[in-house]
């Protein structure tokens, strides 16, 4: 009986496995492109410095302040990356990115859930072949901008000068997937 009570106490004290999709919404989307806030939230949620191999693999050269963080191990590992980049190619605008990658994340399910959350169907980006959303507005009221799919950088910059552009994507990564939220302001 003591063993059963001890195991029950241990199970109750062990946090439930995180849902990478929920982590993406909380860590990436909720801060609305505020990279420092996203990084702080990730560390508070238990993400720590990534092992060297993961850090090399998930390095984002265009985002110099993006440092990969991880939580968990093996199939339960989640990788979090957020960073800011000056975008001279977009007319001195600032781009941000925030990504959650997990082997346990199913790309199809993530796409369906994100489509429901955003209220618009995804478009397939020709270059990446990934489901993507180009949106303007904000978390409470999004406006789909399907004409930006496959657009030139100049066209995207033109729209972003009028209103911030947000980009969401579901990216297949190995046996799992990554969810990306980016902004251009």
């Amino acid at each position: 009986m003591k063993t059963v009570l001890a195991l029950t106490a241990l199970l109750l004290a062990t946090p439930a496995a995180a849902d990478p999709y929920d982590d993406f919404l909380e860590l990436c989307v909720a801060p609305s492109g505020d990279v420092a806030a996203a990084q702080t939230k990730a560390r508070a949620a238990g993400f720590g410095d990534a092992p060297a191999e993961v850090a090399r693999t998930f390095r984002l050269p265009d985002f110099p302040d993006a440092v990969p963080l991880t939580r968990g191990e093996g199939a339960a590992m989640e990788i979090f990356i957020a960073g800011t980049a000056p975008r001279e190619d977009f007319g001195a605008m600032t781009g941000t990115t925030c990504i959650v990658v997990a082997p346990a994340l199913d790309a199809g399910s993530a796409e369906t859930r994100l489509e429901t959350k955003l209220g618009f169907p995804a478009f397939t980006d020709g270059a990446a072949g990934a489901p993507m959303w180009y949106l303007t507005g904000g978390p409470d009221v999004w406006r789909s901008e399907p004409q930006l799919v496959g657009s030139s950088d100049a066209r995207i910059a033109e729209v972003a000068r009028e209103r911030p552009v947000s980009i969401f994507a579901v990216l297949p990564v190995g046996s799992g997937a990554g969810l990306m939220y980016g902004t251009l302001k």
Side-chain angles (χ1 to χ4, degrees):
M1 184 66 172
K2 287 183 183 179
T3 304
V4 171
L5 290 175
L7 286 173
T8 301
L10 178 63
L11 288 173
L12 290 174
T14 303
D19 178 355
Y21 176 83
D22 289 338
D23 286 342
F24 170 71
L25 294 180
E26 181 62 29
L27 302 176
C28 293
V29 180
S32 299
D34 183 337
V35 170
Q39 291 169 336
T40 299
K41 282 181 148 212
R43 287 201 181 271
F47 284 81
D49 295 337
E53 183 178 333
V54 172
R56 277 191 305 277
T57 302
F58 288 92
R59 188 175 155 272
L60 301 177
D62 291 342
F63 296 85
D65 62 341
V67 177
L69 303 175
T70 59
R71 178 174 67 189
E73 296 180 7
M77 179 183 284
E78 281 185 69
I79 302 164
F80 167 88
I81 314 155
T84 305
R87 296 298 307 256
E88 294 303 323
D89 53 331
F90 280 94
M93 302 183 95
T94 299
T96 66
T97 192
C98 188
I99 304 167
V100 171
V101 176
L105 186 60
D106 175 72
S109 172
E111 179 180 351
T112 299
R113 291 173 76 184
L114 198 50
E115 198 168 88
T116 299
K117 169 80 174 158
L118 298 174
F120 301 100
F123 299 93
T124 301
D125 179 273
M132 298 186 79
W133 294 259
Y134 286 82
L135 307 171
T136 55
D140 295 328
V141 180
W142 292 108
R143 177 179 164 203
S144 183
E145 300 282 353
Q147 75 280 5
L148 294 179
V149 176
S151 290
S152 68
D153 289 351
R155 175 66 185 129
I156 296 169
E158 182 182 321
V159 172
R161 277 191 283 283
E162 296 170 12
R163 55 197 180 274
V165 173
S166 294
I167 303 165
F168 289 83
V170 179
L171 309 167
V173 180
S175 63
L179 290 165
M180 189 273 305
Y181 171 64
T183 62
L184 184 62
K185 304 177 191 181

